[in-house]
Amino acid sequence: MNLTHFDSAGQAHMVDVGGKLETARSARAAGSIFMKAETLALIRDGSAKKGDVLGIARIAAIQAAKRTAELIPLCHPIALNRVAAEFAIDEANHAVHCEVTAECHGRTGVEMEALTAVSCGLLTIYDMCKAVDRGMRIDNVRLVEKQGGKSGHWTAP
């Protein structure tokens, strides 16, 4: 199996998607941030010093999805149809879980957009709460599902 971002000489290149059909494509990614119980309480109660942590993280995730091609060197710029970022508070594990769905109608998938959005959403939570908890841990950022394109439907095992 060959890596698509390298040519026959082993040089990095942007994959040519010009001959691919435009199809409906979607990707769902997820990840979590673990923290002290006190930090989670600040987020849950909306009493963090910097404001609505999850509201700002949602906007950061959406913005990150839209700018993925500027951050990941060989990603194609994609006209996104929809980006939805959801956050769930997990009291038992002192965590916030993030799930992002990205959708487009195009020639290449939106996995990187969904993954970048999750990463930036969780990093934003860290940034907004680091003054009270520098030991927060971002974990398990992964692709959960993708649909569309030549490879079809894939779901994480």
Side-chain angles (χ1 to χ4, degrees):
M1 180 172 280
N2 294 326
L3 297 174
T4 59
H5 285 89
F6 295 96
D7 64 18
S8 60
Q11 300 295 312
H13 73 104
M14 191 171 191
V15 175
D16 181 358
V17 297
K20 292 171 113 182
L21 294 175
E22 288 193 5
T23 62
R25 296 166 184 265
S26 67
R28 199 164 41 95
S32 303
I33 185 166
F34 296 86
M35 61 198 67
K36 295 176 186 174
E38 300 82 16
T39 308
L40 188 63
L42 289 173
I43 293 170
R44 180 196 63 231
D45 298 340
S47 56
K49 192 171 186 177
K50 291 186 178 182
D52 178 9
V53 173
L54 297 183
I56 299 300
R58 182 173 292 105
I59 297 300
I62 294 167
Q63 181 177 328
K66 292 170 26 176
R67 301 194 68 175
T68 298
E70 296 174 33
L71 300 170
I72 310 297
L74 300 177
C75 267
H76 290 83
I78 293 177
L80 293 166
N81 293 341
R82 182 175 89 95
V83 176
E86 298 177 20
F87 294 87
I89 291 176
D90 178 351
E91 298 281 353
N93 293 301
H94 309 142
V96 175
H97 305 293
C98 175
E99 185 173 286
V100 172
T101 301
E103 298 175 352
C104 79
H105 191 86
R107 291 185 165 99
T108 189
V110 288
E111 297 91 4
M112 294 307 300
E113 286 71 15
L115 287 161
T116 300
V118 167
S119 298
C120 281
L122 295 172
L123 285 167
T124 298
I125 293 171
Y126 185 94
D127 180 52
M128 294 186 73
C129 298
K130 69 182 182 271
V132 297
D133 188 356
R134 293 197 186 273
M136 289 176 284
R137 184 182 85 249
I138 294 172
D139 200 4
N140 207 20
V141 174
R142 69 216 178 272
L143 183 65
V144 175
E145 180 180 24
K146 62 87 55 191
Q147 294 185 50
K150 189 168 84 173
S151 63
H153 187 204
W154 177 89
T155 304

